[in-house]
Each structure stands twice: as C-alpha cells, then as structure tokens.
Amino acid sequence: MDLLPLGVEHAPEMALVLGDPVLHEFIGGAPLTADALRERYARLAAGSADPAVVWCNWVLRLRGDGPLVGTVQATVTPARDTAELAWVIGTPWQGRGFATEAARTVTAWLADLPTGLLIAHVHPDHHASAAVAAACGFAPTSHREDGEIRWEHRPPAAPAT
C-alpha cells in the first residue's frame, strides 16, 4: 500500500470509499459528498491555523494503479512532544490489515522524528480499531474523551550516538 499526501483531487474517489453509512457507526457523522470532502481536504491540505500544530494526512492506495482504500492522519504538537493518530478504512477493504500497515508506518515515522507520546482514540466497541492500536504498540488508558478510550504509546528513545 502507498501512503500519498492527501489532496483535493482525492475527494471524488474518497467520497466513494467513505460513503458507506455503516462506516460512520464508530467514527460518527455521515458520509460527505465529493464536493464537501473536497472543501474539507482543501482545509486539511492548507494545514493547521495554529503554527504549533502540524497536520499530516495521507490517503491509502493499493500499490500500482489500485484503488484508494482509506486514510491515516497524525496531528503533531512538537511543543508537547505528542502526536495523535487516526485511521479509517473503507468497508469493502476492512479486515485485510490495511489499517495496521498504515498505522505502523506512521507510528514508525513519528518515532523516528522523534515524538515522545503517541495517542489514538478508539470507540470502546470498535474491536478492530483496538486491535490496530495494540498491533502498533498502543495500550488503553483509563482516560475517556467523547466516549472513546485514549490509547497511548511511547516509542523507545533513539540510542545515543
């Protein structure tokens, strides 16, 4: 799978990927139209209005000329040495390891920056997403935010040279 920087040109295909109402059972909201997604992607691609926050957003494409299958994102706050991760895979491609592959790739990238604390929020009934978080080294905490469990991962410190 290839992680491609998210762009407005991805909106029409991603509207199809994210268009299943069942997908929104855990992530909330409702499917967006291609035009609404294009507007959202334009805002995301422009970056955070807060200069202390960096938005990193990718679409996931199956290698070669394969279809887009989802997204992965990280919101990095260097001053707090944290990054929050999230992933979404379209319903037809779930259960194939794509979310784990994408989340591991971004987790490793963030660890190499380095980033001290990685955070993910997972709905308590979303067992597949919890499995992705666990596979990436995250552990659940007792903290809840908007009904979701906060998972945390502290990547090992890079060896001193």
Side-chain angles (χ1 to χ4, degrees):
M1 182 170 42
D2 294 319
L3 277 69
L4 307 172
L6 179 129
V8 294
E9 69 275 12
H10 298 121
E13 189 173 354
M14 286 305 298
L16 298 172
V17 172
L18 304 175
D20 184 353
V22 171
L23 182 64
H24 298 267
E25 177 181 346
F26 294 118
I27 64 173
L32 296 176
T33 65
D35 286 339
L37 213 50
R38 190 176 291 109
E39 289 176 18
R40 177 176 169 77
Y41 287 0
R43 287 191 308 273
L44 291 172
S48 172
D50 182 346
V53 175
V54 179
W55 291 343
C56 305
N57 295 279
W58 298 270
V59 291
L60 312 174
R61 181 176 299 287
L62 296 186
R63 292 227 190 262
D65 293 332
L68 295 178
V69 299
T71 64
V72 64
Q73 63 188 47
T75 300
V76 184
T77 309
R80 291 193 322 207
D81 200 23
T82 62
E84 295 197 30
L85 280 75
W87 47 85
V88 178
I89 302 295
T91 307
W93 300 279
Q94 291 178 359
R96 299 186 198 179
F98 297 138
T100 300
E101 180 182 344
R104 279 184 174 155
T105 299
V106 174
T107 297
W109 176 72
L110 290 165
D112 285 347
L113 286 181
T115 305
L117 178 64
L118 308 182
I119 299 165
H121 293 93
V122 178
H123 189 282
D125 295 328
H126 199 319
H127 305 294
S129 200
V132 170
C136 294
F138 288 76
T141 70
S142 60
H143 182 78
R144 302 292 185 269
E145 187 173 320
D146 295 328
E148 295 183 320
I149 299 169
R150 178 177 166 144
W151 289 63
E152 295 181 353
H153 171 55
R154 288 192 183 276
T161 57

